[in-house]
Amino acid sequence: MAVSIRRSDEIGADPVDRAVGQRLRTLRRARGLSLEAIASGTGLSIGFLSQVERGLSSPSLRVLALLADTLQIGIAGLFEPSPSEPDPDPIVVFEKDRPELQLWRAGITKQLLTPPGGTQGMSLFHLVLKPGASTGDEPFSHDGEEAGLVLEGRLTLVVEARTLQLSEGDSFRFESRRPHRFSNPASRNRTVVLWVNVLGVSRPENS
């Protein structure tokens, strides 16, 4: 199930961008944070953040990671909750009910596979990268740790100074605070990755 879309008076806003922006605005207001506070925490301009919330700018995965950290949630927290009757003991996410986040300009679709509730410390995603899809030339970092398995196609994963070429069956793991980016190097075939994000990873203290 994709991020829900409500009517908006914004002219020129893409429906997917508008839905993401509305979700971000709801999360920000629920935490009593102003656009100024978010701008201070992320280094992004108030004008840009306002455009994102109105659906007039399409946020990259790097921007979404910054916003998730500032809102003190994982990337999974940016997904719109299912409007269906909530399960008091969520254990299963049926395929038809998967929340979805479309980064359509980047060519990436993320589906959340883990049910809501619990500690929110671990999230499992199903990522599909269209041919040539990329998180961009600029690496990003955020809280936690991540791991994954390439289910289909090829994946170029850059972690700090290392560029790694993965194929179907290859897997990875690294701390999310290490600057990273990834892409589908293929020009014709998609890439599918089972991706895990874990929050609350302890980092060694400086002695």
Side-chain angles (χ1 to χ4, degrees):
M1 179 177 50
V3 174
S4 63
I5 298 173
R6 295 180 291 273
R7 297 186 61 183
S8 170
D9 295 330
E10 297 292 352
I11 299 175
D14 180 86
V16 174
D17 292 339
R18 188 164 63 238
V20 173
Q22 289 172 340
R23 176 64 175 159
L24 289 168
R25 179 183 293 171
T26 298
L27 290 167
R28 175 179 63 80
R29 289 178 173 175
R31 286 156 178 75
L33 297 172
S34 65
L35 282 174
E36 290 81 2
I38 299 296
S40 176
T42 60
L44 302 170
S45 72
I46 294 175
F48 173 70
L49 291 171
S50 176
Q51 286 190 328
V52 168
E53 286 195 354
R54 290 182 291 153
L56 299 179
S57 289
S58 183
S60 65
L61 191 55
R62 171 184 171 272
V63 168
L64 291 177
L66 278 171
L67 293 171
D69 273 4
T70 303
L71 294 169
Q72 296 184 330
I73 57 176
I75 292 290
L78 301 179
F79 286 73
E80 187 79 16
S82 172
S84 60
E85 189 75 20
D87 186 343
D89 183 22
I91 295 175
V92 173
V93 174
F94 295 100
E95 184 175 3
K96 64 181 180 63
D97 296 328
R98 290 178 186 173
E100 184 174 282
L101 184 63
Q102 296 182 28
L103 305 171
W104 66 278
R105 294 185 192 275
I108 300 173
T109 299
K110 298 185 72 168
Q111 291 185 329
L112 180 61
L113 304 182
T114 40
T119 63
Q120 300 294 330
M122 182 182 71
S123 299
L124 180 64
F125 299 96
H126 182 271
L127 265 69
V128 176
L129 291 81
K130 292 182 178 180
S134 171
T135 57
D137 295 331
E138 188 175 357
F140 62 99
S141 60
H142 51 93
D143 287 337
E145 186 176 13
E146 45 206 291
L149 170 66
V150 179
L151 300 176
E152 180 183 328
R154 294 184 293 148
L155 180 74
T156 298
L157 176 64
V158 179
V159 181
E160 296 181 316
R162 299 190 64 187
T163 299
L164 306 161
Q165 302 293 343
L166 289 80
S167 300
E168 183 176 328
D170 295 335
S171 54
F172 58 87
R173 174 183 175 182
F174 60 92
E175 288 193 12
S176 306
R177 277 297 168 193
R178 301 177 68 181
H180 58 280
R181 56 188 174 90
F182 56 89
S183 63
N184 175 4
S187 59
R188 299 183 62 180
N189 300 318
R190 71 175 190 172
T191 297
V192 181
V193 184
L194 187 65
W195 203 295
V196 182
N197 284 120
V198 180
L199 298 180
V201 178
S202 61
R203 289 184 290 273
E205 298 182 357
N206 294 328
S207 56

